[in-house]
């Protein structure tokens, strides 16, 4: 407001200097007018500095809040959301889209407010100086406004398409960086280069479309602005000649007309930023407004320490947007301290079944109960704090080995960390690393073998001392000897701690001694019992036993 006010005062001072100082040759009036102009310039400079600083500070605050809100939301979003959205799109929204909003929230908002104030203020002063001349000058404004409205209508959807295409480009880049070994192994470099180039070409085309929209509209805006100036010079010149207007007032009027047309052009240019920021804001709020499908009920209560009696009561489940039941009418009950092995054909729902226990997904029918408590009726934190998971893909984080083992219990002592590593048969190789437990490993555990990563993941799960332990084919990347040692330790820990364990495995040794084996077939329980019972009674179990499970005697893999 102050910057705009200082700018609007300047033309009036110039007009007064011409009419009362220069024309009558009065030096004293000219000195006062020049001193006034200097004071206005100094004030405008100070206000402009403060405006720029405060606007940038505010925009950085907006970006900070948005990044925090987005990341916090991403931490809470349900797994079903990530099943539908590409990771590259999420990264795009957290980086580029936030930056587009930040840019507009700082300089863009200030320029827009400044343009509106200048537009209203200069128009008021034009009518104050000469209302007839003001009407002539303002005749071009509606035409310019129509062009700008048309421009915004064309440019906004294009910016949304640009952001969408840029997200796809980031997705391709991320996939290729994470899968570079697979690409090289199958000699697919040329294919991936062509795939990236195709999306890049599409991005170039979208950007060129936005350039064409600019080129097809703004020359006409400038033309109309110049027509307004010509009208002022012509009509205003006649008024000066006829004595209806002074030269100083004409100069001030022409300057104020520029002050009025410049904000219109500024709003036109800003409309592109508004459209870009609007498209980015839409994408950002798609995440912020995304429903959390797995949340605590308003009346959810903490889950007390459990004995871990697990019951699946006629459980059905389908993924959001799918019509196929992944699990259909699954029912069984497990006593505390039992070891349950889960087998099944590909796509039979093994991983889905164990994912329902910690409520990574909610059932679409029936109920999952722990000690009689429906898992949907207790708080997520109290439920998951009593469950330990070792997934098939051992995901580690950049940092020290100790930090990765203590990920679920950051306040664990060194003795507790080492005890968990020993239980997972990991202590030996960890001590052999360059800095032992303080060795820094790369992103996703780069620098460690698959078996080493899995043993650290097992140690991480054991450290939290879970009442319910879920092992999703967690020994698939270790050799038979190491697996046997891990399994022996796990068996001891299961019996000693009276844990309930669910195991998804691909080896006979993992299931032979299980208290109960569940055989899944197309989302249903095809057979259930002990190893000996199923060998005797289940044809499906024997087929899986012969085709999928690996006997230790023929295992030749190495822990590497």
């Amino acid at each position: 407001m102050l910057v705009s006010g200082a700018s609007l005062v300047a033309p009036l001072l110039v007009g007064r200097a011409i009419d009362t100082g220069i024309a009558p040759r009065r030096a004293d009036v000219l000195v006062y007018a020049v001193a006034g102009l200097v004071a206005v310039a100094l004030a405008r400079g100070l206000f402009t500095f403060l405006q720029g600083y405060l606007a940038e500070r505010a925009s950085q605050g907006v970006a900070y809040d948005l990044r925090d809100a987005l990341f916090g939301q991403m931490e809470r979003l349900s797994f079903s959301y990530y099943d539908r959205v590409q990771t590259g799109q999420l990264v795009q929204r957290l980086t580029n889209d936030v930056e587009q909003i930040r840019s507009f929230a700082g300089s863009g908002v200030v320029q827009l407010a400044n343009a509106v104030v200048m537009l209203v203020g200069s128009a008021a002063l034009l009518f104050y100086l000469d209302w007839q001349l003001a009407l002539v000058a303002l005749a071009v404004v509606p035409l310019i406004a129509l062009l700008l409205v048309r421009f915004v209508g064309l440019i906004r959807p294009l910016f949304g398409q640009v952001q969408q295409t840029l997200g796809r480009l980031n997705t391709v880049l991320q996939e290729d960086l994470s899968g570079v070994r697979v690409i090289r192994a199958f000699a697919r470099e040329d294919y991936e280069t062509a795939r990236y180039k195709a999306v890049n070409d599409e991005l170039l085309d979208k950007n060129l479309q936005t350039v064409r929209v600019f080129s097809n509209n703004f020359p006409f805006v400038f033309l109309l602005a110049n027509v307004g100036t010509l009208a002022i010079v012509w009509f205003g010149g006649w008024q000066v000649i006829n004595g209806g207007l002074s030269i100083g007032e004409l100069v001030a009027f022409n300057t104020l007309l520029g002050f009025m047309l410049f904000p219109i052009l500024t709003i036109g240019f800003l409309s592109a930023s508004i459209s870009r920021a609007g498209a980015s804001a839409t994408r950002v709020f798609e995440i912020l407004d995304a429903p959390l499908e797995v949340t605590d009920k308003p009346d959810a209560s903490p889950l007390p320490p459990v004995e871990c009696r697990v019951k699946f009561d006629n459980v059905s489940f389908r993924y959001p947007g799918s019509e196929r039941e992944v699990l259909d009418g699954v029912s069984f009950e497990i006593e505390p301290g039992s070891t349950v092995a889960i087998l099944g054909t590909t796509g039979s729902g093994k991983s889905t079944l164990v994912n329902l226990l910690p409520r990574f997904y909610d059932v679409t029918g029936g109920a999952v109960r722990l000690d009689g408590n429906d898992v949907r009726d207790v708080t997520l934190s109290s439920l998951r704090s009593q469950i330990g998971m070792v997934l098939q893909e051992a995901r580690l984080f950049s940092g020290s080995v100790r930090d990765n083992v203590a990920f679920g219990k950051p306040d664990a002592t060194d003795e507790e960390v080492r005890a968990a590593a020993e239980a997972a048969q990991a202590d030996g190789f960890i001590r052999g690393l360059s800095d032992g437990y303080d060795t820094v490993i790369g992103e996703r555990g780069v620098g460690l073998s698959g078996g080493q990563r899995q043993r650290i993941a097992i140690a991480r799960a054991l450290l939290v001392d879970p009442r319910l332990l879920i092992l999703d084919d967690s020994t698939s990347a270790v050799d038979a000897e190491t697996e046997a040692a891990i399994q022996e330790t796990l068996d001891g820990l299961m019996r000693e701690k009276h844990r309930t364990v669910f195991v998804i495995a691909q080896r006979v040794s993992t299931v032979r001694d299980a208290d109960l084996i569940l055989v899944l077939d197309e989302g249903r329980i095809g057979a259930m019992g002990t190893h000996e019972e199923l060998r005797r009674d289940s044809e499906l179990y024997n087929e899986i036993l012969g085709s999928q499970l690996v006997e230790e005697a023929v295992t030749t893999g190495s822990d590497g």
Side-chain angles (χ1 to χ4, degrees), residues 477-531:
V478 300
D479 58 51
E481 182 179 353
T482 304
E483 183 200 15
I486 294 174
Q487 195 62 52
E488 181 180 354
T489 305
L490 289 175
D491 287 342
L493 289 169
M494 293 172 205
R495 306 305 178 193
E496 175 189 345
K497 298 287 187 177
H498 205 59
R499 288 188 178 90
T500 300
V501 183
F502 281 77
V503 185
I504 300 175
Q506 298 297 327
R507 286 182 171 140
V508 172
S509 62
T510 311
V511 300
R512 181 181 291 134
D513 298 326
D515 298 305
L516 180 68
I517 301 170
L518 300 176
V519 184
L520 296 181
D521 183 24
E522 296 184 354
R524 296 176 175 271
I525 295 182
M528 181 169 55
T530 64
H531 174 68

Side-chain angles (χ1 to χ4, degrees), residues 131-427:
W131 67 270
Q132 291 177 317
L133 194 57
L135 289 176
V136 173
L138 294 175
V140 299
V141 171
L143 296 175
I144 293 176
L146 285 174
L147 281 173
L148 294 179
V149 170
R150 176 177 176 271
F151 169 76
V152 172
L154 293 172
I155 203 70
R156 176 153 190 163
L158 282 177
F159 279 131
Q161 294 169 23
V162 167
Q163 297 297 85
Q164 190 75 18
T165 307
L166 187 57
R168 287 170 46 211
L169 192 71
N170 285 339
T171 297
V172 175
L173 177 62
Q174 185 176 36
E175 288 177 349
D176 280 36
L177 290 177
S178 61
V180 65
R181 286 180 173 81
V182 177
I183 294 169
R184 300 281 177 84
F186 288 89
R188 297 287 281 175
E189 296 92 338
D190 292 341
Y191 170 80
E192 291 299 322
T193 300
R195 187 163 75 108
Y196 185 86
K197 184 178 183 300
V199 183
N200 201 19
D201 287 342
E202 183 180 348
L203 179 61
L204 175 62
D205 181 64
K206 297 295 183 186
N207 279 313
L208 290 179
Q209 287 183 44
T210 64
V211 172
R212 283 194 289 272
V213 172
F214 272 99
S215 302
N216 291 338
N217 284 271
F218 274 90
F220 294 103
V221 173
F222 287 116
L223 174 63
L224 291 173
N226 289 329
V227 169
T229 302
L230 289 174
I232 290 297
V233 173
W234 174 259
F235 190 75
W238 275 108
Q239 286 187 306
V240 171
I241 292 173
N242 295 325
L245 196 68
S246 70
I247 295 176
E249 288 175 331
L250 179 61
V251 171
F253 203 98
N254 192 54
T255 305
L256 287 170
L257 178 63
F259 281 179
M260 188 184 70
L261 292 177
F262 182 75
I264 294 175
L265 297 177
T266 300
I267 292 172
F269 281 113
L270 282 175
S271 61
S273 299
I274 294 171
S275 298
R276 187 183 291 112
S280 293
T282 299
R283 288 159 52 81
V284 164
F285 280 94
E286 282 176 1
I287 298 177
L288 293 178
D289 295 336
L292 304 180
E293 296 169 7
V294 178
T295 58
D296 288 338
K297 286 184 176 180
D299 58 346
S301 58
L303 178 67
V306 294
E307 295 181 1
C308 250
R309 177 176 286 100
V310 179
K311 182 178 182 180
F312 273 58
D313 187 1
N314 197 30
V315 167
S316 298
F317 176 79
R318 76 167 66 92
Y319 288 100
S322 173
E323 296 181 357
R324 173 179 170 267
E325 295 281 358
V326 180
L327 295 176
D328 186 12
V330 173
S331 296
F332 62 87
E333 187 168 357
I334 306 300
E335 292 299 316
S338 301
T339 298
V340 183
I342 304 173
L343 304 177
T345 54
T346 302
S348 59
K350 301 186 294 294
S351 294
T352 300
L353 186 145
V354 296
N355 283 334
L356 296 178
L357 288 165
R359 282 192 72 197
F360 289 164
Y361 301 90
D362 271 340
V363 299
T364 53
V368 177
R369 305 183 190 279
L370 281 179
D371 289 1
N373 299 289
D374 190 323
V375 295
R376 293 169 294 185
D377 295 334
V378 300
T379 60
L380 285 169
S381 58
S382 65
L383 170 67
R384 292 173 182 172
S385 66
Q386 300 189 58
I387 299 176
M389 290 195 73
V390 183
L391 303 176
Q392 187 172 15
E393 180 186 1
R395 174 69 64 174
L396 303 183
F397 299 91
S398 55
S400 69
V401 173
R402 186 201 182 282
D403 289 342
N404 272 279
V405 175
F407 186 77
K409 190 179 180 182
D411 57 348
T413 65
D414 291 341
E415 290 72 18
E416 289 174 324
V417 170
R418 280 194 292 271
E422 288 173 358
Q425 301 294 311
D427 181 68

Side-chain angles (χ1 to χ4, degrees), residues 37-106:
L37 288 170
V38 170
V40 167
L42 290 175
R44 185 169 55 192
L46 174 62
F47 299 149
T48 301
F49 166 76
L50 291 174
Q51 170 187 285
Y53 171 76
L54 294 174
E56 185 63 22
R57 181 174 175 177
S59 73
Q60 293 295 343
V62 168
Y64 175 86
D65 289 343
L66 275 179
R67 284 193 294 265
D68 263 8
L70 277 171
F71 190 82
Q73 177 75 342
M74 288 180 185
E75 288 292 296
R76 296 188 299 271
L77 283 170
S78 307
F79 281 84
S80 56
Y81 183 86
Y82 292 103
D83 294 338
R84 302 190 299 268
V85 179
Q86 295 174 324
T87 305
Q89 293 284 355
L90 295 177
V91 173
Q92 168 77 6
R93 298 180 194 196
L94 195 57
T95 53
N96 186 267
D97 284 331
V98 168
E99 178 58 25
Q100 294 292 348
I101 297 171
R102 185 207 67 79
S103 178
F104 176 73

